Amino acid sequence: MKKTTIALALAMAWLLAGCGGRDEAPPTESVETAAEAATNEVLPTIELQEGDGLPDVLPDGLVWETNLDDPIFASPEAKRGGTYRSYMTSFPLTLRLVGPDSNGGFAGVTRANQMSPVALHPETRRPIPELATEWAFGEDGRSMYYRINPAARWSDGEPVTAEDFVFTVQFMRSKSIMAPWYNNYYTDRIRDVKAYDDYTFGVQGADAKPGVEMHANYAIGPTPRHFHVLNENWTKDFNWKVAPNTGPYQISTVEKGKYIELERKQDWWGDDLRYYKHRFNPDKIRYRVIRDVNSAWQHFLKAELDTFGLVLPNFWHDKAASADEVRAGYIDRYWFYNDLPTPSGGFFLNTSNPLLADRDTRYGMGHSMNFDRVIRTVLRGDYERLPTFQLGFGEYDNHDITPRQYDIDKAGELFRKAGFTKRDAEGILIREDGTRLSFRVTYGATHHTERLGVLKEEARKAGVELVLSLIDSAAAFKQMQEKKHDIAWMTWGTGGLSPRYWEHFHSDNANRPQTNNITNHANPEMDTLIMAYRGSSDLDERVQLARTLEAMVHESGVFIPSFHVPYTREGAWRWMRLPEHLGTRRSGALFNPLGPSAGYTSGGLFWIDAEEKVRILEAKDAGETFEPVIVEHREHRRS
């Protein structure tokens, strides 16, 4: 629930290892800041409907709550200092967090460095203070009130005030930001926000929500009013400006096409907060561009990177197992099961393509994808088949859905119904008019080529041609958002406490650029249920609607689910330290230097042992070895 909570639904799961990029690196450009204090645009307002709107005066009788009782999950043994060195496969297209090209992987870093009024505790799932010290629920069931910590500061030293939260809604409604998803959400779903004094504000959503889900939906983050100048040039003028933030780090160096560095703030205002002590320990974080994951692996073995993700089976089973640096005990390996909502990964079929507009064709495509073979071979049996679009939300999950299995005969029957009755000389199905059953698959991660290659060969047996189109990850995502793909192979990050459907499947977001409905799915019946789900405050009703909507996604055939991975696997040089418990139930990565996992504050737990680093490097130079370390942690594995 860090950085505006709503933004979590936009985040891509190829964070860091799939950040935005350019083919050529432009010259180095110094970091810019803005000093303008006024906007040129007339800030937008909306006409509130009857019953909408917060009271002009803070209501009497509010019951203010806080939470300083949940367990601390950082280690008091953590040490501050050092530079954490990581990588990204391409350079971001912008440093903006909204607007064109802003949703690339590196945005996950900058968003994680913004704080919200509250966060979710990674073990108890209860709200805990972040920017706010206290909160209260309004009587209408759709309003929240927050008291801001007077110590909270932007990175330029300005205080965080209630007006910054008011400005968030004005900013997100502005046409200047060229972000229709945000425009819509902050108009339709966030109905009103009011500042009652410098440090107290209220926010009203469109609908009542049960319990803690109020925070997940309406705990908007602040936007620095003193920084932004909203006008028709905003997206261009602020493309590379480093905005003030509320988190522990600030971007300090941007060398375009090469690297980005963040520095730890001196005397960060949040250092002494109960749930933030002993966290965010490196003095500096450096993300360098290494465009190929195999090249990044070599940099890691040379101790030029401190950690490396080992989720990919060939890295865990082959490369790491055989590496001299691992066998000599200089690099430790971790296999840590977590309990998080599952990222939604697979094939997204663009129904604006006339062939994919036919449901029989889409169903046939589902039966032409041999994911089981990919899991058995390329993925070494480590991954599991994802059954449906969204999973991992407890009672909301629909466990009655079974993904379409690889079945050439069933696929052929469906393709014949769609008019594909013959095969050409290459074995690809064609219609009488010569139209081939051929689709371009857009993707942005080199290491996915092998698994897509297996799917391509297996699909050919069913008469389907998949033309694999690997492009830079940022360019791939841009193409998908502009709806210029046939089939998108990608993964959406998930967040919050319940599934989300509006952004991906409501017709408001179909056939429009810069929205997340990349299948262009439009179904009036589903639209009605999506709005009922969004508007319901009854938990039982919401659960039933979510299960129904999940079934409708399956029935539409616009999404073909691929795999899910209920763990993280990572390698780290021996000087990288973790708490005794390694991570939390909701740790998506053990060596995440900053932020949340699916809305839970859980990152920044590791630290760098400078003395150990000297010792290990000296031992390596002297040929001294250690006992190899493999740590497997299964406590949080879901049955």
Side-chain angles (χ1 to χ4, degrees), residues 140-407:
D140 61 1
R142 59 192 180 109
S143 299
M144 295 291 303
Y145 299 88
Y146 295 96
R147 287 177 174 161
I148 305 165
N149 190 332
R153 291 288 184 275
W154 294 104
S155 47
D156 57 8
E158 291 292 319
V160 179
T161 70
E163 289 297 332
D164 292 317
F165 292 87
V166 173
F167 184 65
T168 289
V169 177
Q170 297 170 336
F171 178 86
M172 292 298 186
R173 290 174 181 172
S174 169
K175 298 302 180 186
S176 294
I177 68 174
M178 297 177 63
W181 189 92
Y182 286 104
N183 291 164
N184 189 302
Y185 195 99
Y186 279 86
T187 300
D188 182 48
R189 309 312 300 165
I190 305 297
R191 300 298 294 166
D192 196 17
V193 60
K194 277 189 173 67
Y196 292 102
D197 57 42
D198 286 349
Y199 299 110
T200 307
F201 76 97
V203 57
Q204 184 187 70
D207 306 294
K209 301 291 180 187
V212 72
E213 291 190 33
M214 283 284 290
H215 291 294
N217 284 274
Y218 302 143
I220 64 173
T223 302
R225 179 187 288 272
H226 64 281
F227 173 79
H228 290 283
V229 179
L230 285 175
N231 55 38
E232 62 184 6
N233 297 317
W234 181 84
T235 57
K236 178 182 178 181
D237 292 346
F238 284 75
N239 207 46
W240 295 106
K241 293 185 188 295
V242 178
N245 64 70
T246 54
Y249 290 90
Q250 178 73 356
I251 293 176
S252 57
T253 306
V254 176
E255 184 154 351
K256 289 186 178 178
K258 295 182 178 180
Y259 66 87
I260 296 178
E261 289 183 346
L262 296 85
E263 289 189 5
R264 185 66 154 78
K265 297 173 185 175
Q266 297 294 320
D267 301 319
W268 177 51
W269 71 271
D271 276 332
D272 292 327
L273 296 180
R274 173 178 172 83
Y275 301 107
Y276 296 91
K277 288 181 180 179
H278 312 300
R279 294 176 64 188
F280 317 117
N281 297 300
D283 287 335
K284 185 181 290 187
I285 305 171
R286 192 174 197 266
Y287 297 103
R288 62 184 293 186
V289 175
I290 305 176
R291 297 185 182 278
D292 179 71
V293 66
N294 292 298
S295 177
W297 171 250
Q298 295 303 317
H299 285 280
F300 175 58
L301 294 181
K302 295 175 184 177
E304 295 170 1
L305 302 174
D306 293 302
T307 64
F308 194 89
L310 297 175
V311 170
L312 295 177
N314 65 315
F315 277 92
W316 179 266
H317 295 288
D318 300 330
K319 291 179 180 292
S322 62
D324 292 340
E325 293 80 0
V326 174
R327 292 171 17 174
Y330 307 137
I331 293 173
D332 298 337
R333 287 187 285 168
Y334 300 89
W335 188 330
F336 184 87
Y337 282 86
N338 48 33
D339 183 9
L340 285 166
T342 300
S344 303
F347 284 127
F348 292 78
L349 312 185
N350 188 350
T351 58
S352 67
N353 180 311
L355 300 185
L356 295 174
D358 186 295
R359 192 170 74 168
D360 288 328
T361 300
R362 298 196 299 269
Y363 280 14
M365 292 295 292
H367 288 296
S368 301
M369 301 300 133
N370 196 345
F371 289 109
D372 288 341
R373 182 172 182 184
V374 177
I375 292 172
R376 289 195 310 270
T377 56
V378 179
L379 302 178
R380 314 284 283 271
D382 290 353
Y383 292 14
E384 300 173 10
R385 178 75 195 272
L386 180 65
T388 183
F389 179 68
Q390 297 193 90
L391 185 69
F393 292 97
E395 56 201 332
Y396 284 95
D397 292 348
N398 187 337
H399 296 291
D400 294 330
I401 297 174
T402 301
R404 293 178 180 88
Q405 300 298 313
Y406 183 66
D407 189 323

Side-chain angles (χ1 to χ4, degrees), residues 213 393-398 498-499 501 533 536 538-550:
E213 291 190 33
F393 292 97
E395 56 201 332
Y396 284 95
D397 292 348
N398 187 337
S498 57
Y501 297 98
Y533 172 68
S536 175
D538 181 86
L539 180 60
D540 291 339
E541 181 183 40
R542 282 174 57 77
V543 166
Q544 186 55 52
L545 283 167
R547 292 176 181 176
T548 299
L549 287 166
E550 200 66 40

Side-chain angles (χ1 to χ4, degrees), residues 57-122:
V57 178
L58 191 67
D60 293 328
L62 291 174
V63 179
W64 292 96
E65 305 175 13
T66 191
N67 178 7
L68 299 176
D69 300 321
D70 281 355
I72 294 173
F73 47 91
S75 172
E77 297 179 2
K79 299 176 182 179
R80 184 73 54 80
T83 297
Y84 175 64
R85 301 162 302 162
S86 189
Y87 79 103
M88 49 189 173
T89 57
S90 55
F91 200 81
L93 299 176
T94 181
L95 294 181
R96 287 182 283 98
L97 290 180
V98 297
D101 306 321
S102 64
N103 212 21
F106 190 75
V109 176
T110 46
R111 287 188 178 121
N113 199 35
Q114 296 280 18
M115 305 182 79
S116 280
V118 299
L120 294 182
H121 192 281

Side-chain angles (χ1 to χ4, degrees), residues 577-593:
R577 301 299 199 195
L578 290 167
E580 185 177 352
H581 54 278
L582 303 184
T584 73
R585 178 178 293 274
R586 271 88 193 185
S587 290
L590 297 178
F591 296 98
N592 178 356

